[in-house]
Amino acid sequence: ALLACSPVIEVTTSELRAGSAVISRHLVTSAQPLDSVAFRLARGRDADPRRFSLMRSWHSGSGAVITIDDPDDPHPAWILTTARPMELAAALA
């Protein structure tokens, strides 16, 4: 039941979905995959409280930071947990 209700990260030709959050792909300026050390720092010492975060405990070892260029959005970036950060970054490139 938990897996069926868990948030999904999906990249389409027009948008990025992370759980219930959606952003147009043309607003994504970069996607940086993070290994376990960089991800831990991005969530801790180097954390930006303005980032939108989607943290799933079973994928907490790695993730990606997605930089957003939208003057109307209070979030300058998204930080997402994922087991495949390189694939997520490549899909957004």
Side-chain angles (χ1 to χ4, degrees), residues 41-65:
L41 292 173
R43 293 181 316 177
R45 182 190 75 192
D46 301 333
D48 182 345
R50 299 173 303 150
R51 286 183 188 151
F52 167 78
S53 299
L54 178 66
M55 299 295 161
R56 298 171 299 170
S57 61
W58 59 93
H59 289 305
S60 62
S62 62
V65 172

Side-chain angles (χ1 to χ4, degrees), residues 8 10-12 14-25 27-28 52 54 68 70 73 75 78 80:
V8 174
E10 179 181 20
V11 178
T12 69
S14 61
E15 63 189 18
L16 166 62
R17 291 182 171 272
S20 61
V22 180
I23 192 156
S24 179
R25 290 269 311 266
L27 298 173
V28 173
F52 167 78
L54 178 66
I68 308 298
D70 182 0
D73 192 336
H75 307 291
W78 289 12
L80 311 172

Side-chain angles (χ1 to χ4, degrees), residues 25-39:
R25 290 269 311 266
H26 78 275
L27 298 173
V28 173
T29 59
S30 69
Q32 178 184 4
L34 304 173
D35 63 17
S36 60
V37 173
F39 191 64

